[in-house]
Amino acid sequence: MTPSVRLLVAALLAGLSACAAPAATSRREPYARIKTALDAVPAIDTHDHLWPFDRLPGYLETDRGRGMTLAGLWRNSYLTWYAPITPWKPGGTFDEWWAKAKHDFTNVRASSFYRYQLPAFQDLYGVDFDHITDAEARALNDRIFENYRDDRWLRHVILERANIELMFNDPYWARFAFRKSYDFEVIVFNVTTLVKGFHPSEFKSPDDDPYAFAKSEGLDLKTIDDYLVALDRLFLKAKTSQAVCLKTTLAYLRTLRFENVSKERASKAFGRPRAELSAEEIKDFEDFVMWRLVELSARHELPFQIHTGHARIQGSNPMLLVDLIEANPKTKFILFHGGYPWIGETGAIVTRHRNVWIDSVWLPTISFTTAKRAYHEWLEVMPSDRILWGADCNHAEGIYGATEFTRRCLAEVLAEKVEAAQLKEDHAVAIGRQILRENALKLFPSLQGRIKSTR
Ligand SMILES: [Zn+2]
């Protein structure tokens, strides 16, 4: 939203619409009404990384002891992708850190990776971070430190302020533990590392190790067939632990082009450590296992969330998945992040394949403008029940900011369509409600038993 629009909306919400020019007022009214309606929708957030409260990333040793600080929030935000944030000296004071850190934001004022956190400072703390003074920064830091003394703040912000009813949690820190830390959490089965199961030396932590899991189940992994049995058993455990979907972030590690490799070829890598294998043998094994994971996804009715775009950009175009998608019509594929920057391609894949959904998770945080363009285009080329959203953050303020960014982005797009006479306002609100909530409940029907809200 531009500052002038923001002022106008603020004025409208404050009942001061008479002060604005009549023409501009009527043109902007749909936005205010749609945004208010979307704010009231208890959202189903299909992706976050919310660690157990005592292990949240961002706690620092300060002169007052261990706790969350302004430094912790920024250093664990996406902004660090573009701008290094001054490190916190263990045991150091806020003033010491801020004297340097306040200059870290100079070149990123317009970036979405900076701006998505601002609604949290504005709405939750009443602070305009763009023009924050040293005294305000110190007071903000003190309040953050106090808020994180127990998990009530986290719950308050997520459940009440961000109005999130259920949150999918991707536990990349303990993939096969299937442990829930929060009552609003939905368990996700992260399968990223399973493709490298050719040798036990690939795994470091027992909560992430299919060999440790197999042992606990009394299975001995001597052949690739044994490995496939263990995978099936792991899927059963995920299912009985109430996981509702799979997730992979392989796009950060390799190309999304998965060939349909024969078991015979893939088995050449099995039982051998990485150092003895060629890159081709490793890829063969990974490709083979990915196809099996896709089949297991259908068999166990666990839709497959796949990170696409904005990772290794030379290999994360979602178009690379199309053969895999086409060959597995019973698997429900969810293309994450709208495939940024390939939002048009991602839309085209959904247009052509009924077993594909788009998750706009993280997209407004990457680029608010790209997300607007994406929602605009996607709603024109696919049914509105194929689009989902998620916040993709790891602390209360980031989750609030990303959620608010998404609600604003959607409201702007829907209002623009209403203003252009391309959509009726009641339908616009219904579509926003679908994306924020109802589409997830439809795609993951087991969640129906967990929702309290009928709003
Ligand atoms: Zn994520």
Side-chain angles (χ1 to χ4, degrees), residues 47-49 78 170 247 249 252 307 336-337 361 392-393:
H47 182 69
D48 269 301
H49 305 279
Y78 290 109
D170 171 8
K247 164 81 195 298
T249 50
Y252 281 111
H307 181 117
F336 259 35
H337 317 311
V361 49
D392 208 352
C393 290

Side-chain angles (χ1 to χ4, degrees), residues 318-335:
M319 293 296 284
L320 295 167
L321 291 169
V322 174
D323 288 344
L324 183 67
I325 288 168
E326 199 163 79
N328 292 279
K330 289 190 179 142
T331 300
K332 292 174 174 168
F333 292 87
I334 305 166
L335 304 181

